[in-house]
Amino acid sequence: MIRTGIFGGSFNPIHNGHIALARQLKEREGLDEVWLMVSPQNPLKQSASLLPDEARLEMARKALEGVEGIIASDYEMHLPRPSYTWNTLQALSRDYPEREFVLMIGGDNWQLFDRWYRADDIKARYPIVVYTRTPGDEGFIDISSTEVRQRVRDGRSIRSLVPPAVADIISEKGYYV
């Protein structure tokens, strides 16, 4: 069995913290790969600051070039909406029977997990890794996509927060201004 971590998010944009966390969890949990599942835009949660799916996916793929075992995935973008985690995991298990999928979620989402669609089924069927998102906790990486977008709006550098390829794309395409 190939152990594959599923790390979902909007990645709007992907930043160094996402990549460092994926690497850290891959090692700590003994995963063969981590798939950053770039989530499709929720039609019920339209946001002016959320870039189109393809733009966020392009940045994630560029950010992960040369990063061993961490892959930007558009898998969820091809599933029926809304994209419930249970449905995504079930589809992945069907399409990749040689893999064991491990759900990776932040502590903030874990607090609300019982409200998720088919939460008990997810817990019964899939291993779950909860990672910290609280300042001061071990392994916490103090970067957020919100901060990156705010710095772009303020005309400040984001080079220390995102991979160079992502900074270049944001600058060239005028994202988040």
Side-chain angles (χ1 to χ4, degrees):
M1 266 309 182
I2 302 166
R3 296 193 76 223
T4 306
I6 298 299
F7 178 178
S10 60
F11 302 105
N12 186 44
I14 189 170
H15 56 65
N16 294 335
H18 292 131
I19 298 165
L21 180 60
R23 280 183 158 142
Q24 188 179 84
L25 293 173
K26 179 180 177 288
E27 284 300 309
R28 188 181 84 198
E29 301 299 324
L31 301 170
D32 297 296
E33 290 183 340
V34 172
W35 292 1
L36 299 191
M37 192 70 58
V38 181
S39 301
Q41 183 169 25
N42 182 335
L44 303 175
K45 291 185 177 176
Q46 292 289 347
S47 165
S49 67
L50 185 63
L51 294 181
D53 298 347
E54 300 73 27
R56 294 179 290 115
L57 180 65
E58 176 195 14
M59 287 191 288
R61 285 188 169 153
K62 287 284 188 196
L64 296 172
E65 283 179 1
V67 178
E68 182 89 18
I70 303 176
I71 294 148
S73 174
D74 65 350
Y75 185 86
E76 203 170 46
M77 293 177 184
H78 303 288
L79 295 177
R81 312 272 170 95
S83 55
Y84 293 112
T85 299
W86 168 254
N87 295 343
T88 299
L89 290 168
Q90 287 288 282
L92 284 165
S93 294
R94 183 185 61 244
D95 290 348
Y96 300 94
E98 74 287 359
R99 292 180 182 268
E100 174 192 31
F101 290 100
V102 177
L103 179 62
M104 303 162 68
I105 66 170
D108 53 346
N109 280 318
W110 181 246
Q111 298 297 319
L112 308 169
F113 192 75
D114 288 335
R115 296 187 201 163
W116 285 29
Y117 176 69
R118 299 193 61 174
D120 289 339
D121 291 326
I122 295 171
K123 286 184 202 174
R125 171 73 175 82
Y126 298 95
I128 300 173
V129 172
V130 180
Y131 57 87
T132 184
R133 299 195 55 183
T134 307
D137 287 351
E138 180 192 345
F140 176 73
I141 298 153
D142 193 14
I143 302 174
S144 72
S145 296
T146 303
E147 177 187 3
V148 173
R149 293 190 306 269
Q150 186 61 53
R151 281 179 168 235
V152 171
R153 278 192 298 277
D154 294 346
R156 295 167 49 217
S157 175
I158 58 170
R159 297 251 169 217
S160 63
L161 305 179
V162 300
V166 173
D168 292 345
I169 290 169
I170 290 170
S171 175
E172 288 164 13
K173 300 200 175 179
Y175 291 154
Y176 308 119
V177 289

